[in-house]
């Protein structure tokens, strides 16, 4: 079975694609974004997948790739076009190369035009292709910076993308209107720049008059991507964000820092345990954690002044749901070191940790 997820970075309108082979647990990511590495790592771990490679569709001008950062976290191999001129990749790809993950394969097609390094990745059964910034949904990548070349793009689209089966689904690297997917037949017919009877001269004429503003990040993004997303090491803003160090926490795809019962017991004397259940639950059959402060979730925003800002807080409830929302409220109020007790009192008890009160 194929695991397939389309992920979005709102800052750059970039799509990142996760492809996994359920049987082997191997996965690849196409176009990971530096700022989203924590999110993507969380998803891989929740889906039980091992990242074996990150693939770039090209050297991006609008965001820095997460390739290097992902490699630090997961050991994934960095792959991109040999035509990129980038340093620090593990494998340089070109026309007809094959990238395997478990029992599945992606086939590489060179589709220059937006940049020289543009690749389209076609899934083995030709049901899906990832077109990067070559063919977009009712659009195409621009050709007015990097090695942009409208004639090359026209040929790439006609020879490498429109030759795929009609029903093949196409997923681009960006969409600026929130559209998510298209197909070969649709674009061949309806793409306003290149569909129908539009010829190479019509296309180049269109592309020379797009009149788009330059990407805001281009001066940082291109050099960063030519290092495959490795920070310069000068402490500038492109350093990876540090993980919290006060306990072993896990970041969830839902966006919450989680601590497991064992981790909380280890740090119990050093943190504030905040129980956000109702009073009758606190004194009810599940009992509560020794030293826990009780502030029901509905009262938390008004009573936030009762909590110390300099001591980490672990929020607790029955099953770990309401307390996850408590961490959101605390973070909104400026609390930095906050975590949710995964599974709440139910898991705390099930794993044999001590409780005050409650029934056996
Ligand atoms: N406003 C965006 C620029 C986005 C942009 O230029 N995107 C490129 C891809 S890197 C493109 O080809 N856009 C095609 C289009 O907008 O039609 C930014 O500042 O990052
Ligand atoms: Fe691009």
């Amino acid at each position: 079975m194929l695991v397939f997820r389309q992920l979005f970075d709102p800052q750059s309108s970039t799509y990142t694609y996760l492809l996994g082979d359920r049987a082997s647990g191997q996965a690849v990511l196409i176009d990971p974004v530096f700022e989203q590495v924590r999110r993507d790592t969380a998803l891989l771990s929740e889906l039980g997948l091992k990242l074996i490679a990150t693939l770039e569709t090209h050297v991006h001008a609008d965001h820095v790739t997460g390739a290097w950062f992902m490699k630090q976290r997961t050991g994934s191999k960095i792959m991109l076009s040999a035509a990129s001129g980038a340093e620090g990749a593990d494998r340089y790809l070109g026309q007809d190369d094959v990238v395997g993950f478990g029992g599945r394969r992606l086939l590489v097609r060179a589709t220059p035009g937006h940049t020289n390094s543009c690749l389209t990745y076609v899934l083995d059964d030709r049901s899906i292709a990832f077109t990067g910034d070559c063919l977009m949904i009712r659009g195409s990548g621009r050709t007015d910076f990097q090695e942009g070349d409208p004639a090359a793009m026209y040929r790439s689209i006609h020879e490498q993308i429109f030759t795929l089966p009609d029903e093949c689904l196409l997923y681009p690297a960006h969409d600026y209107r929130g559209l998510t997917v298209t197909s070969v037949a649709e674009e061949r017919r309806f793409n306003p720049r290149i569909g129908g009877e539009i010829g190479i001269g019509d296309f180049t004429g269109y592309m020379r008059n797009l009149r788009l503003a330059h990407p805001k990040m281009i001066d940082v993004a291109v050099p960063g991507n030519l290092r495959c997303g490795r920070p310069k090491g000068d402490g500038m803003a492109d350093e990876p964000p540090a993980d919290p160090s006060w306990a072993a926490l896990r970041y969830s795809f839902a966006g919450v820092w989680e601590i497991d019962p064992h981790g909380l017991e280890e740090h119990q004397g050093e943190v504030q345990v905040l129980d956000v259940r109702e009073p009758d639950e606190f004194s009810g059959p599940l009992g509560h954690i020794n030293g826990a402060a009780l502030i029901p979730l509905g009262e938390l925003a008004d009573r936030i002044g009762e909590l110390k800002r300099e001591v980490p807080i672990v929020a607790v409830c029955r099953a770990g749901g309401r307390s996850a929302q408590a961490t959101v409220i605390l973070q909104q109020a400026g609390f930095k070191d906050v975590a949710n007790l995964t599974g709440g009192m139910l898991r705390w008890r099930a794993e044999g940790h001590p409780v005050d009160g409650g029934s056996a």
Side-chain angles (χ1 to χ4, degrees):
M1 194 192 81
L2 183 76
V3 183
F4 175 47
R5 296 287 184 278
Q6 182 174 33
L7 302 157
F8 185 63
D9 173 55
Q11 190 68 39
S12 61
S13 297
T14 300
Y15 288 123
T16 297
Y17 299 99
L18 167 64
L19 289 166
D21 172 52
R22 183 42 69 218
S24 64
Q26 293 192 350
V28 297
L29 274 176
I30 298 176
D31 288 338
V33 172
F34 191 86
E35 286 79 8
Q36 301 292 354
V37 163
R38 195 175 259 163
R39 174 199 70 183
D40 298 353
T41 316
L43 181 60
L44 285 159
S45 122
E46 290 178 16
L47 297 180
L49 295 169
K50 158 109 184 99
L51 189 69
I52 60 159
T54 57
L55 312 178
E56 303 298 323
T57 57
H58 62 292
V59 174
H60 304 277
D62 57 344
H63 68 274
V64 175
T65 173
W68 174 87
F69 191 10
M70 263 298 176
K71 179 176 178 173
Q72 310 309 303
R73 297 188 77 138
T74 70
S76 51
K77 299 267 186 274
I78 300 175
M79 301 187 190
L80 84 170
S81 167
S84 61
E87 59 174 57
D90 297 292
R91 184 174 169 197
Y92 291 93
L93 302 169
Q95 181 71 20
D96 298 328
D97 278 348
V98 176
V99 178
F101 56 103
R104 304 303 300 254
R105 284 166 301 132
L106 284 168
L107 293 102
V108 177
R109 294 187 174 200
T111 49
H114 172 65
T115 70
N116 278 350
S117 67
C118 287
L119 301 177
T120 288
Y121 297 102
V122 182
L123 190 63
D124 41 26
D125 61 4
R126 296 168 150 241
S127 60
I128 305 180
F130 301 91
T131 54
D133 287 354
C134 186
L135 188 64
M136 293 177 169
I137 304 170
R138 303 296 190 271
S140 67
R142 61 198 285 181
T143 51
D144 59 339
F145 56 58
Q146 292 174 282
E147 308 84 22
D149 177 348
M153 179 175 279
Y154 185 91
R155 287 192 293 273
S156 292
I157 293 174
H158 273 274
E159 293 165 18
Q160 304 294 337
I161 299 175
F162 284 175
T163 49
L164 290 165
D166 271 1
E167 57 288 357
C168 178
L169 296 177
L170 303 178
Y171 288 91
H174 300 287
D175 188 88
Y176 302 100
R177 295 189 292 157
L179 310 175
T180 55
V181 61
T182 185
S183 70
V184 169
E186 257 177 272
E187 293 305 318
R188 217 196 274 132
R189 187 157 168 214
F190 296 114
N191 189 297
R193 299 184 188 180
I194 200 165
E197 295 303 312
I198 295 175
I200 192 161
D202 306 315
F203 181 72
T204 52
Y206 193 133
M207 294 307 289
R208 292 220 163 89
N209 291 283
L210 285 186
R211 306 174 76 82
L212 296 167
H214 248 46
K216 291 181 282 299
M217 288 277 288
I218 190 164
D219 295 335
V220 176
V222 171
N225 289 324
L226 289 172
R227 298 190 303 272
C228 295
R230 181 176 54 80
K232 275 189 283 194
D234 58 4
M236 300 292 284
D238 56 0
E239 289 296 324
D243 281 349
S245 56
W246 55 274
L249 304 183
R250 183 179 60 79
Y251 186 74
S252 75
F253 187 56
V256 176
W257 286 104
E258 300 275 350
I259 187 166
D260 64 23
H262 176 76
L264 175 54
E265 194 171 357
E266 211 167 282
H267 292 278
Q268 215 173 330
E270 307 145 29
V271 303
Q272 306 174 79
V273 178
L274 169 66
D275 196 314
V276 298
R277 292 175 297 168
E278 298 303 314
D280 60 331
E281 295 178 270
F282 189 81
S283 52
L286 289 181
H288 54 261
I289 295 171
N290 182 264
L294 172 66
I295 305 181
L297 184 61
E299 298 173 24
L300 181 57
D302 292 334
R303 294 177 56 192
I304 220 146
E306 294 174 30
L307 297 162
K308 295 193 214 67
R309 285 186 177 264
E310 54 301 342
V311 182
I313 300 179
V314 175
V316 183
C317 69
R318 177 180 170 276
R322 283 171 287 170
S323 52
Q325 177 56 12
T327 68
V328 173
I329 294 171
L330 289 164
Q331 275 161 343
Q332 279 167 354
F335 286 78
K336 296 250 162 2
D337 294 331
V338 183
N340 180 40
L341 179 66
T342 306
M345 288 305 295
L346 291 174
R347 187 163 154 197
W348 176 266
R349 285 174 59 109
E351 293 184 8
H353 298 283
V355 292
D356 281 5
S359 47

